[in-house]
Amino acid sequence: MKVAVIGLGYVGLVQAACFAKLGHIVLGIDLDVQKIASLQSGMLPFFEPGLEDVLRESVQRLSCTNSIAALEVFKPEVILICVPTPARADGSCETQFVARAIAELAVYVLEKTVVVIKSTVPPGIRKDLQYVETSGLIELASVPEFLREGKAVKDFFQPDRLVFGVQSVWAEQVLRALHKGIEAPICVMSVESAQLSKYASNAMLATRLSFMNEIANIADVVGADIEDIERVVGSDKRIGKMFLRSGAGFGGSCFPKDVLALSQAARLHGYETRIIEPIIEINADQPRRFVNKVRERLGDFSQKTIAVWGLAFNGNTDDVRESPAIKVIELLLAQGAAVQVYDPRAMKQAYAFLQDRVTYATSMQEALYGAETLLILTEWPEFMKADWNDIAHALASPYLFDGKNFLSRAQIQQAGLIYCGIGICSDVSRPLGN
Ligand code: UDX
């Protein structure tokens, strides 16, 4: 099939490359001339494991342009809208870029085409865009994506499910043909249900995290151990072991934005949500709680140098949007600390937020020079394999702080360091043998 993808960001470029790998002929469209130029020269605008290989394998079937008029000649059977839907100041979802893309493409659609909104949009937007369907040449659909940054290629080819929000059997058949070759349960439903199911999935995942963060905060004040609690809670098959890890907060361009947008969308339709706001409030306060935990053990930060490993919001991505690491660093700076940072991929992106207020180290080790302690704030695999003995010698304080509760407490303690996470601190006694 011929597929056009409008918006070549973290979602759109993965869609374009992976559908080309599936065997489709793909036209990628983005108004950013610089991005198109770098893509045409084989340069990726962001880091995503495996994406470079997929692009290399499918280069024959993927072309990129910054002219939406190319649709007229290309004549795609499906057009995927993957443009940004950022949060407005009031938290509602900004859908103007989606509306603009659809208005522009409508001019160039000369044959019956499924226009798929992949961008996360609140249910109800279709009614505002129905005018483009009057020609009978366009049918709007919703195929929400559930890709995780850092695992997006894997999630594309091995999704837990595919969701088709359609208005006709014809559109469903077109989408089935588009996704041929992906083995996954297919959930067919209305456009509105598909859009709400995306928000519900993200809000459910964010709820798990904020709930476990609240339990971890209670563990901190009662002297319990969140790892033990997580093991017990996760062993209930109805709950499951995944996505229960506490930390200094979740970040990314999705959870914080989508959870608030869901609440705003409900309010717009006359329903006041009550469970949604606390998810955001707890998450927003985690960086502060984490920094307080550091200060309780280090004392006043002024005149002290603090090393930070990890700037991205998650491991295996260079994305720093809503990253708890950036929020923690801002708090450290505000309390007088000198901060030395290292991240394998996200230093350039972080500079846009931190500018020259921190020192950028060229290696994990360099970040430790003269440091009182080390805060590890992103789940990069290389941090898990650090030499804790070297680190113990390099730091002035015996404390090491894990802002994502993902490191091996036993290995760190064996090196003579005191491991501190969220809801965990090995300076709080723990029964032997655990
Ligand atoms: C999320 C959803 O998982 C994905 O389905 C949707 O399409 C987009 O939003 P993403 O935000 O890219 O994906 O990554 P994810 O792996 O979900 O991590 C989100 C945040 O939660 C990260 O900051 C991560 O560090 C944090 N996290 C994740 C935890 O703190 N604990 C966990 O157990 C898992």
Side-chain angles (χ1 to χ4, degrees), residues 146-149 198 243 245 251 254 313-314 379 404:
F146 298 91
L147 309 183
R148 295 164 294 173
E149 285 184 30
K198 165 70 179 173
F243 235 80
R245 183 169 39 82
C254 296
F313 84 90
N314 208 349
E379 307 91 331
K404 291 285 185 170

Side-chain angles (χ1 to χ4, degrees), residues 237-260:
K237 290 184 182 55
R238 294 166 299 176
I239 298 170
K241 298 184 182 339
M242 294 177 74
F243 235 80
L244 292 175
R245 183 169 39 82
S246 307
F250 56 77
S253 66
C254 296
F255 284 170
K257 166 178 77 77
D258 292 352
V259 170
L260 259 185

Side-chain angles (χ1 to χ4, degrees), residues 32-85:
D32 181 335
V33 178
Q34 183 56 42
K35 183 186 287 187
I36 294 298
S38 64
L39 280 170
Q40 285 169 340
S41 63
M43 292 285 292
L44 276 182
F46 53 81
F47 173 66
E48 182 61 51
L51 184 57
E52 203 161 6
D53 295 340
V54 172
L55 277 166
R56 195 178 309 112
E57 289 156 25
S58 49
V59 66
Q60 303 300 330
R61 289 187 295 279
L62 171 61
S63 56
C64 298
T65 177
N66 70 305
S67 161
I68 201 162
L71 287 172
E72 195 164 20
V73 174
F74 184 61
K75 296 190 179 59
E77 290 135 288
V78 182
I79 301 175
L80 304 180
I81 308 287
C82 301
V83 297
T85 51

Side-chain angles (χ1 to χ4, degrees), residues 117-128:
I117 302 176
K118 276 204 86 67
S119 306
T120 304
V121 292
I125 184 178
R126 185 173 58 83
K127 293 182 184 55
D128 305 336

